[in-house]
């Protein structure tokens, strides 16, 4: 089945957003890729550009308890036994509005045994002088409280050099350590003295990262920015977001079973909550009936 896609452009930027999953298939600035994209006839590989809701990252064994009721989600990462990246990345979204420089898509998460809540999502993708902006609105249209979290999943591209040579600035003081086999949370650790301290920008080298970070430093406007530079090309990409996302997942895309896709870009995923938040409750958004939650993020060229 062919699904529609929507091209938007302006101020040197151009993007293609899919009607399937509201995935960002392509993003460029003056013809230069800012993300690892994929072809128009290609299935989305490795969650490139995915829209992730109503939970980011993993839920162990797909099981969670909310308001005293146990629920079980489908396992879509069988090798780790987890429910990964939510419920909307592979379903059709409805076109709400499309202009030359913006597109708005919507979908509703309908109640199921696994997630018996009703959440209406709207995602507006817009281009302006500051870059490619995503604004997300979630509305609980059901009769009960609903657990909720959201994040994007772009793999940023700094330039044409290898990822090991790119310079990362990540203003985060705390990393969430994980189990080596299933990448499930263990505990918080200060990044000081670890391979995950990029508060002062330096080259990624051969470090392998697939971790959530918090303790994020923000500017006077309350914004956090991750910067990724290619010193050889003098180019880069940045991701900026506000306090509605107190976490960010960073992934160097080490994929031993997919060598052709390994370390092509750096996943930068501002998250409203950490992995396993449906069980821990940490920073979990709980939408009361009729309540709306808003968040967003911007990708820009450097």
């Amino acid at each position: 089945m062919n699904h529609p896609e929507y091209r938007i452009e302006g101020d040197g930027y151009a993007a293609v957003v899919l009607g399937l999953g509201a995935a960002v298939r392509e993003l460029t600035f003056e013809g230069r890729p800012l993300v690892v994209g994929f072809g128009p006839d290609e299935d989305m590989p490795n969650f490139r550009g995915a829209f992730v809701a109503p939970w980011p990252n993993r839920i162990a064994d797909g099981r969670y308890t909310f308001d005293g009721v146990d629920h079980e989600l489908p396992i879509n990462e069988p090798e780790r036994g987890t429910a990964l990246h939510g419920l909307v990345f592979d379903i059709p979204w409805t076109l709400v509005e499309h202009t030359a420089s913006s597109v708005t898509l919507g979908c509703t998460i309908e109640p199921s045994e696994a997630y018996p809540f009703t959440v209406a999502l709207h995602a507006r993708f817009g281009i302006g002088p500051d870059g490619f902006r995503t604004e997300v609105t979630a509305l609980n249209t059901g009769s009960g409280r609903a657990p909720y979290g959201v994040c994007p999943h772009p793999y940023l591209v700094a330039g044409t050099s290898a990822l090991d040579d790119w310079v990362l600035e990540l203003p985060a003081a705390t990393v969430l350590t994980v189990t080596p086999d299933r990448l499930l949370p263990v505990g918080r650790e200060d990044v000081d003295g670890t391979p995950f301290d990029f508060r002062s920008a330096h080259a990624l080298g051969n470090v392998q990262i697939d971790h959530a970070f918090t303790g994020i430093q923000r500017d006077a406007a309350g914004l956090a920015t991750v910067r990724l530079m290619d010193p050889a090309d003098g180019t880069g990409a940045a991701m900026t977001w506000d306090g509605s996302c107190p976490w960010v997942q960073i992934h160097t895309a080490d994929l031993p079973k997919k060598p052709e896709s390994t370390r092509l870009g750096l996943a930068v995923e501002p998250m409203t909550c950490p992995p396993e938040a449906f069980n821990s409750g940490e920073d979990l958004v709980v939408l009361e009936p009729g309540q709306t939650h808003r968040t967003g993020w911007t990708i820009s060229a450097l």
Side-chain angles (χ1 to χ4, degrees):
M1 179 179 179
N2 292 325
H3 294 277
E5 60 178 37
Y6 308 97
R7 182 177 176 85
I8 58 176
E9 55 188 2
D11 295 284
Y13 293 88
V16 176
V17 180
L18 302 186
L20 182 66
V24 179
R25 185 176 69 75
E26 182 180 298
L27 175 61
T28 60
F29 176 71
E30 296 181 348
R32 168 171 66 91
L34 296 181
V35 301
V36 183
F38 55 99
D41 300 319
E42 187 179 359
D43 292 336
M44 178 180 64
N46 310 314
F47 292 96
R48 289 181 198 167
F51 188 100
V52 178
W55 72 86
N57 208 271
R58 294 171 173 84
I59 296 178
D61 305 313
R63 295 174 181 153
Y64 68 99
T65 301
F66 183 72
D67 281 349
V69 180
D70 295 336
H71 305 282
E72 189 165 346
L73 297 158
I75 299 298
N76 63 340
E77 193 186 32
E79 65 274 21
R80 293 192 174 107
T82 70
L84 181 65
H85 292 333
L87 300 170
V88 300
F89 63 82
D90 60 353
I91 67 171
W93 288 53
T94 301
L95 178 65
V96 177
E97 182 183 42
H98 186 201
T99 71
S101 60
S102 72
V103 61
T104 302
L105 301 175
C107 77
T108 297
I109 304 172
E110 300 289 355
S112 65
E113 188 173 342
Y115 185 81
F117 315 99
T118 311
V119 177
L121 296 170
H122 274 76
R124 181 188 185 274
F125 305 88
I127 285 174
D130 294 335
F132 176 68
R133 173 76 179 165
T134 304
E135 296 174 345
V136 183
T137 301
L139 170 64
N140 182 354
T141 59
S143 58
R145 291 161 26 108
Y148 172 74
V150 65
C151 80
H153 204 295
Y155 290 87
L156 299 187
V157 173
T160 60
S161 301
L163 180 140
D164 292 25
D165 299 328
W166 296 350
V167 171
L168 172 64
E169 181 184 353
L170 170 64
T174 303
V175 62
L176 188 67
T177 58
V178 294
T179 59
D181 52 349
R182 301 179 69 193
L183 301 181
L184 297 174
V186 174
R188 297 188 187 207
E189 182 177 318
D190 192 311
V191 299
D192 190 34
T194 75
F196 306 123
D197 188 355
F198 288 89
R199 290 171 293 180
S200 295
H202 62 274
L204 280 158
N206 62 2
V207 65
Q208 296 187 9
I209 310 172
D210 196 355
H211 295 74
F213 294 79
T214 191
I216 297 169
Q217 183 179 357
R218 301 176 184 276
D219 64 17
L223 299 177
T225 301
V226 170
R227 295 178 178 87
L228 191 64
M229 291 294 301
D230 181 346
D233 288 355
T235 59
M239 192 109 176
T240 303
W241 67 95
D242 67 17
S244 60
C245 291
W247 294 82
V248 61
Q249 182 85 11
I250 303 292
H251 184 206
T252 46
D254 301 278
L255 306 167
K257 294 182 180 180
K258 301 177 181 178
E260 72 284 355
S261 297
T262 288
R263 297 178 79 86
L264 298 181
L266 184 76
V268 179
E269 310 163 44
M271 302 187 297
T272 56
C273 59
E276 274 285 87
F278 273 25
N279 285 308
S280 70
E282 185 170 14
D283 291 323
L284 181 66
V285 175
V286 176
L287 291 170
E288 300 290 340
Q291 185 179 1
T292 295
H293 178 271
R294 293 180 174 86
T295 188
W297 41 81
T298 301
I299 300 174
S300 55
L302 298 174

